Amino acid sequence: LGRGIIVTLEAVRFKFQVQVGEIRSLPGLIDNNKGRYAVVIFEDLYMYLNLQGQNRANLDQYCRDFNVGILYLFYFYSKAKIVIAKMVGSFPLRFMSSVRLKDYEINATSPLLRITRPGSVVSTSIVPVPSPNDWTIFLPYHHTYTAVTLASRLKPPKLRKTKRRSNHLNSACGLEKLIPVLLDQGLYDGIQRVFFGNNLKFWLQKVLFLDALSYLSYGRLSLPLERYFQIDIDDIFVGVAESRLLVNDVQALLNFQTELRKNVPGFTYQLGFSGKFIYSGTNLESEGDRMLLKLADNFSWFPHMWSHMQAHWFSNASKLCEYMDINRQFALRHSLNTSSNYAVAPHHAGVYPVHQQLYHCWRKVWNITSTSSEEYPNLRPDHRRKGFIYRNIMVIPRQTCSLFTHTMVLDMYPGGKEVLLESIDGGSLFQSFLYNQVNVFMTHQSNYGNDRLGLFTFDRAMKFLYKWTNLRLVYEPPEVLGKRYFNLYPEEVEPVWSNPCLNRRHLEIWSEEKNCSSFPKFVVVGPQKTGTTALYWFLNMHPHVKSNLPSPTTFEEVQFFSGPNYFKGIDWYMSFFPTPENNTVLFEKSATYFDQKVVPKRLKTLLPSKHIVVILIDPALRAYSWYQHMRSHHDAFALKYSFYETITAHRGVDPDGLISLQRRCLDPGFYANHLENWLDFIQPQFIIIVDGDMLKTDPAAAMFQLQKSLGFTEIYQYNKILKFDERKGFFCQVQPKGKSKCLGQSKGRKYPEMEDESWKYLTKYYEEANLKLFKLLERLKKPIPEWLKKKSK
Ligand SMILES: Nc1ncnc2c1ncn2[C@@H]1O[C@H](COP(=O)(O)OS(=O)(=O)O)[C@@H](OP(=O)(O)O)[C@H]1O
């Protein structure tokens, strides 16, 4: 049951928290005097009834104080199929299990109904749920309860011969209608509740579930009733002879559009064209093509590629643009209306995983502003498809409507025509409309010839939708629809890049030029001023380890996951990594990653199961090093104010520039807090801690440990190439003739020691944070840096 609930909540994008198993303690219900939850759902009524100690009283009180309702699913499975009737705790309510139902209907007077419209009786002899015997029905004894749905019993149940139960049943049998979904309006104990006597598999339960969430949350969890949609007909001229549109089919398409506009003003089909294939069917089909061109103004047209080629086959952008332009010339010749600035890539190739050249040419040749794809972040599960914006082109998720290029004839529908009908009558197509406020449906040319399944499907789907729901279908042109989508879901504007090498479909539509082995195997994430450059340099001395190539702006750091570079995409990121030779381990280092909240999620999504390396030095010394770094970069505040003045400055009193300097000195030093953020995404075994003091004073030992932690089989001996340089005051690389090569002036700067008052202040300031770090590393069974051990004594 839990899975059904989660899938539905994910599909409608309501935020939720799940607690699994026996509930020993409740999660924190209140945050800053505000209730954290709008509705509480129990996947099993007994979980609520069996809450231990004060838990139930506390939950009930929370529900009363914050106007929060409770929703229960109740799926009482009895193997013996023997009816059990019981009281529901101390409520004036009984339930009866293992009931077989027929003639399921909505109670038209229920105050719960919002999306649900009391269509008619679901009159199949057995209500179409996977286990029709397992319905639970409710028998209320108080006016707080009203029926949301009603049904009749299919056949009398087997009775157990205990006197008490048969008494219960006798009274239940006296009822004319049974109640499988029940609303408690809160008149009994001040809490509103909805009881579902089965799971969410039956489509009507799904609609009611959304209404229950809206009702119980006092409207806080409500989807609007408008459903915006677009229907694309891909490949309008593509298709083998004998399967394409004839003149009558084109006329039928236009007629259907005209009919649809009565309910959905302005509705216009989007026709996707690859000009090369026009007139490539039979003579009669060519007449169909001519008819399409004649009626072209009635439709909106969008480009595929000229000959349906896939964008990722082109690494050369100008070739790709040239090729696109042929299709544009075709559109100009035939005066096709392409003003929607919308395009679809054949097989979604190049849209995701992003192929920069495609986006470039789309903008340049067609001025495309929106597209759609079913590949982001993955094709499955389809309810988790999302959108993103890349190079100002809106990519919005696309839904299938159970029609594909080869589904042309109803009787030959794969698995039988019932499969298609079920998807329309409450199945996946219906649920797309139900859950998604914006739908872009994909159909194909062949669905509009032959049996015209495209027309049949949407005609039936809309009738079903209008019969059972109060949803209103609305049409908007693609660009407007795209903007609406990202207004509804602004959190999706920024993409999160996943690794194409981990998804077979993505790998197939990824440019052959890219190479899965070019991703780094580990990343040094910082924090800044802990010796990250020295570590980067040392690692590059290893014969089998190679870093990213330098960046013209940020030198040895790529700074991909932490800043605006992320939006340049993974092609850009990968351009920093050469294809490695055998045995070579690639790595990246960007010291800015450690304390940026967004980085762990992004890094984990692109580089799952890769190690991250964190260097830790005393946070007071790190703060002082940063301050000195800013002085040498002529930061006006660092030059004007002493270190002590900087770290003790007060927000609201001192200048903003000083406060900002203070934050950059102090914030990264809360190591444990930042590590906790990493641990939300990266498993502890993938986090390697390097003692920054050891890296400075005994780098060969630090490098030995690091190589072990990274699982290197061949350990490189750094004592052969690193030597302490008296002049520099740090370890440097041994060069021929007794010389040594050190890091430049900006690493290992000469500056006075920290004054006592700052030292004392920071020791106190970081005392708790250091203790937290100590405990965290201990819990994670990580080596504890010597400096931290000393501090924690
Ligand atoms: N071998 C060697 N050579 C030079 N410097 C070394 C070395 N090992 C560690 N360190 C320490 O590295 C500090 C600079 O840290 P980062 O490279 O992480 O700084 S940055 O964030 O990239 O700016 C730098 O900080 P400052 O001493 O404040 O300059 C050094 O203390």
Side-chain angles (χ1 to χ4, degrees):
L1 292 186
R3 222 184 91 75
I5 299 169
I6 289 172
V7 166
T8 311
L9 294 175
E10 282 179 344
V12 292
R13 295 162 156 96
F14 289 161
K15 287 194 188 128
F16 61 94
Q17 190 184 322
V18 181
Q19 189 157 342
V20 186
E22 192 193 336
I23 303 168
R24 295 224 166 82
S25 61
L26 296 173
L29 298 173
I30 303 171
D31 204 6
N32 277 332
N33 289 329
K34 284 197 181 134
R36 294 182 64 197
Y37 304 97
V39 169
V40 181
I41 302 172
F42 284 89
E43 69 165 328
D44 179 353
L45 174 59
Y46 269 93
M47 275 184 169
Y48 169 79
L49 296 176
N50 292 340
L51 279 177
Q52 298 294 310
Q54 276 299 300
N55 282 338
R56 186 160 148 197
N58 289 346
L59 180 65
D60 285 356
Q61 196 52 47
Y62 168 77
C63 290
R64 283 186 206 102
D65 290 349
F66 291 93
N67 277 342
V68 167
I70 310 181
L71 191 154
Y72 309 92
L73 285 114
F74 195 42
Y75 182 71
F76 196 93
Y77 181 72
S78 140
K79 241 186 177 169
K81 297 287 166 264
I82 287 181
V83 171
I84 295 182
K86 279 188 174 182
M87 294 301 290
V88 176
S90 56
F91 294 112
L93 178 66
R94 283 187 303 143
F95 74 84
M96 198 195 285
S97 71
S98 302
V99 181
R100 303 190 76 189
L101 298 183
K102 63 174 184 175
D103 299 341
Y104 194 93
E105 63 186 302
I106 308 282
N107 172 13
T109 61
S110 170
L112 184 100
L113 307 183
R114 185 172 170 277
I115 295 179
T116 320
R117 178 195 283 263
S120 62
V121 177
V122 181
S123 56
T124 39
S125 59
I126 297 172
V127 176
V129 287
S131 342
N133 295 349
D134 296 325
W135 281 91
T136 296
I137 51 117
F138 298 96
L139 303 135
Y141 299 100
H142 194 280
H143 64 279
T144 189
Y145 297 110
T146 64
V148 178
T149 61
L150 297 163
S152 310
R153 181 176 295 119
L154 183 64
K155 73 175 189 199
K158 275 193 221 165
L159 301 183
R160 263 194 196 170
K161 283 184 188 139
T162 66
K163 196 167 179 243
R164 199 166 144 258
R165 289 212 170 91
S166 51
N167 273 348
H168 280 253
L169 280 174
N170 284 343
S171 55
C173 290
L175 281 179
E176 290 210 340
K177 289 278 183 191
L178 309 177
I179 306 177
V181 179
L182 181 77
L183 169 67
D184 171 352
Q185 296 173 97
L187 307 175
Y188 177 68
D189 66 352
I191 301 171
Q192 298 190 339
R193 300 178 159 89
V194 177
F195 300 83
F196 280 81
N198 205 320
N199 54 30
L200 296 182
K201 286 185 181 162
F202 178 25
W203 59 267
L204 204 43
Q205 305 279 94
K206 295 179 202 281
V207 193
L208 290 167
F209 180 73
L210 295 190
D211 281 352
L213 291 179
S214 171
Y215 185 90
L216 295 173
S217 67
Y218 294 77
R220 282 169 288 179
L221 295 177
S222 286
L223 293 183
L225 294 176
E226 286 75 25
R227 292 294 181 273
Y228 299 86
F229 79 109
Q230 170 184 324
I231 304 178
D232 292 355
I233 308 182
D234 286 9
D235 306 333
I236 195 70
F237 299 125
V238 183
V240 285
E242 309 279 353
S243 74
R244 300 163 53 120
L245 302 192
L246 303 175
V247 168
N248 287 346
D249 298 322
V250 178
Q251 192 57 57
L253 178 69
L254 182 62
N255 293 349
F256 186 73
Q257 176 174 284
T258 312
E259 192 58 29
L260 242 176
R261 284 182 177 174
K262 290 184 187 156
N263 276 323
V264 188
F267 172 80
T268 305
Y269 274 109
Q270 307 293 322
L271 308 189
F273 63 98
S274 294
K276 183 178 174 189
F277 299 101
I278 194 163
Y279 308 135
S280 60
T282 61
N283 286 344
L284 286 178
E285 287 168 344
S286 292
E287 286 305 311
D289 289 351
R290 256 175 229 112
M291 181 76 162
L292 267 171
L293 293 182
K294 193 171 143 210
L295 299 176
D297 282 353
N298 295 280
F299 304 109
S300 175
W301 295 75
F302 67 88
H304 292 306
M305 296 283 265
W306 164 247
S307 71
H308 213 253
M309 286 177 104
Q310 299 180 36
H312 70 293
W313 297 342
F314 296 80
S315 53
N316 180 321
S318 47
K319 273 263 163 317
L320 180 65
C321 294
E322 245 174 59
Y323 198 73
M324 268 187 195
D325 198 55
I326 310 179
N327 214 23
R328 201 176 74 90
Q329 296 306 328
F330 172 85
L332 288 175
R333 265 198 315 279
H334 296 288
S335 311
L336 301 183
N337 172 11
T338 55
S339 62
S340 63
N341 298 342
Y342 175 74
V344 171
H347 301 278
H348 312 278
V351 179
Y352 193 79
V354 158
H355 189 60
Q356 285 180 15
Q357 294 87 329
L358 172 67
Y359 286 76
H360 166 79
C361 293
W362 265 351
R363 283 237 71 126
K364 188 168 168 219
V365 178
W366 288 104
N367 192 25
I368 295 303
T369 54
S370 73
T371 182
S372 57
S373 173
E374 57 195 18
E375 292 294 341
Y376 176 76
N378 292 300
L379 182 74
R380 303 250 175 267
D382 46 3
H383 72 272
R384 281 203 208 136
R385 289 179 199 161
K386 300 253 154 31
F388 65 96
I389 299 183
Y390 178 69
R391 297 201 164 186
N392 288 330
I393 295 183
M394 299 176 281
V395 181
I396 62 174
R398 201 163 160 79
Q399 279 77 37
T400 46
C401 55
S402 308
L403 295 179
F404 307 95
T405 323
H406 55 275
T407 44
M408 304 181 210
V409 180
L410 185 59
D411 285 334
M412 285 163 67
Y413 193 87
K417 66 178 176 190
E418 294 69 31
V419 176
L420 178 64
L421 300 186
E422 265 170 37
S423 108
I424 302 169
D425 300 350
S428 58
L429 177 56
F430 173 75
Q431 287 161 39
S432 275
F433 277 118
L434 179 65
Y435 297 144
N436 298 317
Q437 295 184 59
V438 172
N439 278 290
V440 176
F441 290 109
M442 177 177 64
T443 63
H444 293 89
Q445 174 271 146
S446 48
N447 308 136
Y448 293 85
N450 312 292
D451 268 8
R452 297 183 193 153
L453 286 185
L455 305 185
F456 167 81
T457 300
F458 280 96
D459 182 43
R460 185 168 172 130
M462 285 171 191
K463 286 188 177 131
F464 191 87
L465 198 77
Y466 289 138
K467 177 173 171 186
W468 287 101
T469 74
N470 294 313
L471 295 177
R472 284 191 291 276
L473 294 177
V474 185
Y475 171 80
E476 284 178 339
E479 198 171 339
V480 183
L481 193 70
K483 285 186 183 146
R484 176 173 296 284
Y485 183 86
F486 289 104
N487 275 337
L488 283 169
Y489 309 115
E491 68 284 358
E492 290 183 22
V493 167
E494 293 186 354
V496 182
W497 309 120
S498 56
N499 192 318
C501 306
L502 305 175
N503 179 321
R504 198 178 45 79
R505 289 177 63 90
H506 289 179
L507 206 49
E508 277 168 15
I509 50 174
W510 203 38
S511 162
E512 275 172 14
E513 298 209 319
K514 289 159 206 162
N515 193 320
C516 290
S517 58
S518 302
F519 283 111
K521 298 281 180 302
F522 67 94
V523 181
V524 180
V525 298
Q528 287 172 302
K529 308 317 291 179
T530 54
T532 57
T533 318
L535 181 63
Y536 171 89
W537 185 45
F538 297 161
L539 281 165
N540 267 317
M541 293 172 194
H542 192 299
H544 299 305
V545 178
K546 217 169 178 177
S547 67
N548 52 278
L549 305 170
S551 145
T553 47
T554 47
F555 314 105
E556 84 275 8
E557 303 202 341
V558 187
Q559 299 187 0
F560 175 66
F561 295 101
S562 52
N565 287 338
Y566 187 70
F567 305 111
K568 294 180 181 163
I570 56 175
D571 288 7
W572 182 88
Y573 183 55
M574 292 189 80
S575 68
F576 285 89
F577 298 96
T579 306
E581 288 153 22
N582 276 351
N583 291 343
T584 306
V585 177
L586 291 180
F587 80 100
E588 191 228 328
K589 101 88 175 164
S590 292
T592 48
Y593 291 164
F594 178 71
D595 53 322
Q596 303 272 322
K597 192 102 178 102
V598 287
V599 175
K601 182 180 177 191
R602 290 176 176 175
L603 197 140
K604 179 228 154 164
T605 316
L606 187 64
L607 306 172
S609 312
K610 298 281 178 273
H611 284 99
I612 60 149
V613 178
V614 178
I615 311 175
L616 299 178
I617 61 170
D618 188 324
L621 294 174
R622 201 215 71 84
Y624 190 50
S625 172
W626 181 260
Y627 171 80
Q628 294 297 345
H629 170 92
M630 293 307 278
R631 274 178 72 85
S632 60
H633 280 81
H634 310 294
D635 176 81
F637 292 93
L639 291 175
K640 184 168 174 199
Y641 295 91
S642 71
F643 183 55
Y644 186 75
E645 284 166 336
T646 303
I647 55 179
T648 56
H650 292 285
R651 197 182 289 269
V653 177
D654 292 300
D656 289 350
L658 183 61
I659 297 299
S660 141
L661 174 66
Q662 180 193 60
R663 299 297 9 130
R664 296 209 57 192
C665 285
L666 299 178
D667 286 356
F670 290 93
Y671 298 143
N673 292 354
H674 299 302
L675 280 172
E676 276 170 354
N677 185 30
W678 282 95
L679 286 164
D680 284 344
F681 299 93
I682 312 266
Q683 289 167 298
Q685 71 263 31
F686 293 114
I687 300 180
I688 299 175
I689 304 290
V690 171
D691 179 341
D693 263 2
M694 193 197 276
L695 188 70
K696 209 181 284 184
T697 55
D698 188 358
M703 293 308 289
F704 176 82
Q705 281 185 9
L706 176 61
Q707 292 179 81
K708 283 265 173 208
S709 308
L710 286 167
F712 287 7
T713 40
E714 265 177 65
I715 304 286
Y716 187 61
Q717 299 299 339
Y718 277 87
N719 47 12
K720 287 192 294 195
I721 45 154
L722 295 180
K723 190 175 110 188
F724 188 77
D725 183 297
E726 294 294 341
R727 273 198 14 236
K728 177 78 178 170
F730 285 92
F731 274 81
C732 299
Q733 188 179 19
V734 176
Q735 297 286 291
K737 298 183 190 156
K739 290 191 174 167
S740 60
K741 185 176 154 201
C742 302
L743 282 178
Q745 273 179 7
S746 62
K747 310 291 158 183
R749 290 194 173 95
K750 305 262 183 250
Y751 46 76
E753 281 202 0
M754 197 192 309
E755 287 157 351
D756 266 2
E757 58 175 355
S758 299
W759 187 246
K760 275 191 197 136
Y761 179 86
L762 288 179
T763 304
K764 188 99 205 97
Y765 183 81
Y766 282 122
E767 191 177 331
E768 212 178 293
N770 284 335
L771 193 63
K772 189 171 171 188
L773 176 68
F774 186 90
K775 286 187 183 156
L776 179 69
L777 296 181
E778 209 172 37
R779 180 163 65 77
L780 299 177
K781 300 197 173 57
K782 297 282 171 200
I784 297 185
E786 285 304 318
W787 61 264
L788 184 60
K789 281 188 197 161
K790 281 186 208 143
K791 290 218 165 243
S792 311
K793 265 185 192 157

